[in-house]
Amino acid sequence: MELQYLHNKLLRFVEKIFSKSNFLTKFYVDIQERTVLEEFSQFDLNMNSKVLIMGCGSIPNTVISLARNKKWEIVSIDRDEIAVRNAEKIIDRYGLKNVIVKKADGMEVDLKGYNLIVVALGIEPKNRVLERISKDADSGTYILCRTAGAFSKIFGKENLEVNGLKMIKRYRRKDGTESIVFVKE
């Protein structure tokens, strides 16, 4: 798991640098958009749905891809103040009106009223965040939790079995990571 921590730290650093460049930001978002949209096509949410994304990072590529293509109300959080400021600037640059970005921790944010909660790959400690979701989210809420997937042989396998969350699907992304979809019982 230490390698996963170092990977996450490196990714946060790279995103902070890339976020200063319109070209690099657009490149980063564009290469991921098709993958993100395919990943989220498994959810049959109506256009009034509310989505919480934990761990938006400095370049909120998932947020941007969803906000440009869905009518969902998206609340995106990160506990890193610099990442939040960078994400806010990028969201403004894209002119996205259905997104709120705020500084918050997944262990403390209000989880009520969401149809879908996304737990980003870099969220730490992921199993504790999932345990909190299992206690505080509304019944029937979907949870999409990104994991190392094919890279778990390098980073180590995460224990994501949590009482109160029923795994309904595994989705292998084209970039090698994996999304595990749960529903809150």
Side-chain angles (χ1 to χ4, degrees):
M1 289 315 241
E2 192 165 311
L3 279 176
Q4 179 75 50
Y5 171 79
L6 293 173
H7 169 266
N8 295 344
K9 191 171 181 149
L10 177 63
L11 188 58
R12 285 190 289 270
F13 176 75
V14 168
E15 278 194 7
K16 284 177 182 170
I17 292 170
F18 277 30
S19 71
K20 305 299 180 205
S21 164
N22 290 344
F23 173 77
L24 292 175
T25 297
K26 183 178 178 345
F27 175 75
Y28 191 79
V29 170
D30 289 351
I31 64 170
Q32 288 289 322
E33 187 162 79
R34 173 178 258 159
T35 299
V36 169
L37 293 177
E38 285 175 10
E39 176 184 31
F40 282 85
S41 69
Q42 62 193 313
F43 297 102
D44 186 25
L45 300 178
N46 68 45
M47 58 188 251
N48 298 321
S49 293
K50 192 170 177 185
V51 177
L52 172 65
I53 299 179
M54 295 181 173
C56 66
S58 284
I59 301 178
N61 64 303
T62 297
V63 175
I64 293 166
S65 296
L66 292 177
R68 289 198 304 190
N69 293 280
K70 305 286 184 183
K71 300 296 182 204
W72 303 335
E73 178 185 337
I74 300 169
V75 176
S76 183
I77 65 169
D78 204 295
R79 63 184 181 191
D80 180 331
E81 181 71 40
I82 295 169
V84 168
R85 285 196 309 257
N86 291 341
E88 286 173 328
K89 289 176 188 172
I90 291 169
I91 294 298
D92 285 345
R93 240 188 284 157
Y94 276 85
L96 301 171
K97 303 297 183 205
N98 56 331
V99 177
I100 297 169
V101 180
K102 60 185 177 180
K103 183 180 184 308
D105 189 302
M107 294 301 292
E108 299 166 1
V109 69
D110 183 9
L111 300 174
K112 297 292 185 190
Y114 292 99
N115 303 93
L116 171 63
I117 298 173
V118 179
V119 180
L121 179 63
I123 291 292
E124 299 160 352
K126 200 171 290 172
N127 62 333
R128 285 191 51 225
V129 170
L130 288 173
E131 287 170 3
R132 169 138 193 279
I133 292 169
S134 77
K135 289 181 205 157
D136 296 337
D138 298 329
S139 291
T141 300
Y142 290 106
I143 298 94
L144 182 144
C145 181
R146 289 186 177 145
T147 69
F151 303 103
S152 62
K153 291 177 181 156
I154 298 167
F155 296 139
K157 191 160 177 81
E158 297 173 290
N159 177 16
L160 302 177
E161 292 182 31
V162 175
N163 288 333
L165 297 182
K166 179 183 174 187
M167 186 185 69
I168 56 174
K169 187 173 185 177
R170 290 181 174 271
Y171 178 81
R172 178 72 46 122
R173 289 170 37 123
K174 290 180 180 163
D175 61 9
T177 61
E178 184 177 54
S179 296
I180 301 175
V181 179
F182 299 94
V183 66
K184 164 74 185 292
E185 297 182 302

